[in-house]
Amino acid sequence: MSHHCKNLLVRCMDFRLTREMNKWMEKRGYIGDCDLVSLAGAGKAIADGTPEGEMLLSQIALSAKLHHSSCVALVHHSQCGAYAGAYSFANAEEEKEKQVSDMKKAAEIIKAKNPGISVKFIWANLQDDDGREIEFEEID
Ligand SMILES: [Zn+2]
């Protein structure tokens, strides 16, 4: 018996995302139709070419192989510890700019390794320090 889903969602492991993210996923039809990988910094590891990035790429290939997923949703977020540990941003705009650039870099690598796969970019903007309110934005 085979099981198929359309999407693979890759999010940061940050616990502050979970409550609002699950609601957003339900609303957008992801629940029940996506594989899910949580990794600190999400696509950062792929953009940086680290062993964790290789692991993430193998999960993406496995999801496509086992479940025929054809769309990767990369979810990055503001106030990300993986980025705060690696860079010192002057402001929130600078952090977002770097993360969006990493998401796009990761997408090129993902698409090169998985022909036919599309990649979406989701920016989760925490409205407070605890993730009580999060604004989700799809970036082109
Ligand atoms: Zn994070």
Side-chain angles (χ1 to χ4, degrees):
M1 193 172 160
S2 66
H3 314 279
H4 294 181
C5 65
K6 182 171 184 276
N7 308 285
L8 166 63
L9 192 139
V10 179
R11 53 161 282 190
C12 181
M13 69 177 192
D14 196 320
F15 73 97
R16 297 174 298 167
L17 297 176
T18 302
R19 188 180 298 115
E20 290 307 307
M21 175 115 218
N22 285 356
K23 289 184 204 163
W24 177 86
M25 286 172 70
E26 180 75 57
K27 221 188 304 175
R28 294 304 183 96
Y30 281 101
I31 304 283
D33 198 20
C34 79
D35 285 331
L36 177 63
V37 178
S38 298
L39 181 71
K44 179 179 186 297
I46 293 176
D48 290 349
T50 65
E52 290 81 7
E54 288 301 319
M55 188 209 71
L56 186 48
L57 286 168
S58 76
Q59 296 281 281
I60 292 167
L62 191 61
S63 170
K65 184 180 170 209
L66 287 181
H67 299 148
H68 302 261
S69 61
S70 57
C71 178
V72 174
L74 278 180
V75 185
H76 280 222
H77 69 99
S78 61
Q79 304 176 25
C80 183
Y83 277 88
Y87 305 97
S88 48
F89 298 112
N91 52 50
E93 287 72 33
E94 211 176 283
E95 182 192 17
K96 182 178 177 184
E97 203 174 296
K98 172 61 180 161
Q99 292 207 44
V100 169
S101 137
D102 276 4
M103 281 196 268
K104 293 185 172 170
K105 187 175 173 189
E108 291 314 311
I109 297 167
I110 291 166
K111 288 194 273 191
K113 289 191 184 275
N114 303 275
I117 268 188
S118 63
V119 182
K120 273 184 190 174
F121 310 118
I122 313 296
W123 179 248
N125 194 12
L126 275 72
Q127 305 296 298
D128 51 68
D129 290 341
D130 310 309
R132 273 190 287 268
E133 201 187 317
I134 300 178
E135 199 180 270
F136 291 94
E137 176 195 353
E138 192 171 330
I139 292 171
D140 295 324

